[in-house]
Amino acid sequence: YIMSKNNKPKIIKDLRVGFSLLELLVYVAIVAAVTLFFSEVFISLNKGRGQVLAKNEVNSSLRFAFQKIMQDLKSASSVSVPAVAGATSTSLTAQVSGSDVTYCVSSGILRRQVVGVCDDSSPTITSDKVTVGTSTFSRLENIKKVLGETFVSIEINLGINYNSGSPDFQYSESKKSTVGLR
């Protein structure tokens, strides 16, 4: 109510009205589209982060394993497994500083055992976030008849996979290298 000039109350309708049903539906559709867009962006970023994490974990494990094996082979006085030229084995045993050092894969993890049998209780080289799919060690010999010497080298072939149930985070890498014994 408001008072008119002659002091009589006058009724005025409130001209403010709410949203119409159509306006409300358009608003909800716009909010849903924006939410969907940002959720897709978030999912894509999270997926990309997971793929980078998987790749880094595999490459880091592969690099560390190769460095450790190569370090032992460079200081080894002999290699007993594989024993003969052309032989290939899934394990490697070398005489390093007077002790037998064995590399093997047990339960999908690359392990390094100093003296004794290489099994599930041996110290690990790769993490439990990756699985070693391929591990072969081949003995290569180069005989120099003129010099009367035999040069021995070991070819290392490792393949590592990332442990993930999600197909989005699957990643595997393999590397092959040869190390000459001194």
Side-chain angles (χ1 to χ4, degrees):
Y1 296 98
I2 62 168
M3 297 302 280
S4 64
K5 290 184 183 180
N6 59 6
N7 285 336
K8 288 188 179 179
K10 186 177 179 184
I11 300 174
I12 296 180
K13 282 188 170 183
D14 190 4
L15 298 176
R16 295 178 295 165
V17 291
F19 291 111
S20 70
L21 183 58
L22 181 61
E23 290 170 330
L24 189 58
L25 288 174
V26 168
Y27 171 75
V28 169
I30 291 171
V31 168
V34 169
T35 303
L36 181 64
F37 172 75
F38 282 114
S39 64
E40 286 295 323
V41 167
F42 176 74
I43 290 169
S44 295
L45 289 175
N46 197 28
K47 180 180 174 182
R49 185 188 64 79
Q51 289 171 341
V52 167
L53 175 73
K55 184 175 182 179
N56 287 341
E57 186 68 35
V58 167
N59 287 332
S60 175
S61 289
L62 194 58
R63 199 171 32 255
F64 179 74
F66 261 86
Q67 287 175 348
K68 191 68 178 160
I69 294 169
M70 292 172 105
Q71 177 185 11
D72 281 343
L73 285 175
K74 286 180 181 179
S75 61
S77 56
S78 67
V79 174
S80 56
V81 175
V84 295
T88 300
S89 175
T90 57
S91 65
L92 171 71
T93 303
Q95 185 80 25
V96 180
S97 301
S99 299
D100 282 340
V101 175
T102 303
Y103 287 91
C104 70
V105 175
S106 180
S107 300
I109 297 174
L110 182 64
R111 299 173 184 277
R112 179 183 185 266
Q113 179 66 44
V114 179
V115 183
V117 178
C118 191
D119 57 15
D120 283 350
S121 64
S122 300
T124 62
I125 299 296
T126 57
S127 74
D128 59 347
K129 295 179 182 177
V130 298
T131 303
V132 178
T134 306
S135 74
T136 57
F137 304 96
S138 302
R139 184 183 189 104
L140 307 172
E141 292 184 2
N142 187 359
I143 301 170
K144 300 286 185 179
K145 291 183 181 182
V146 174
L147 299 173
E149 294 179 339
T150 302
F151 297 98
V152 176
S153 56
I154 303 296
E155 182 182 79
I156 307 162
N157 184 12
L158 289 178
I160 296 181
N161 310 311
Y162 188 72
N163 282 340
S164 176
S166 171
D168 293 337
F169 304 137
Q170 294 298 319
Y171 184 77
S172 61
E173 187 71 40
S174 61
K175 183 176 181 180
K176 185 185 284 191
S177 186
T178 304
V179 180
L181 300 180
R182 54 181 174 123

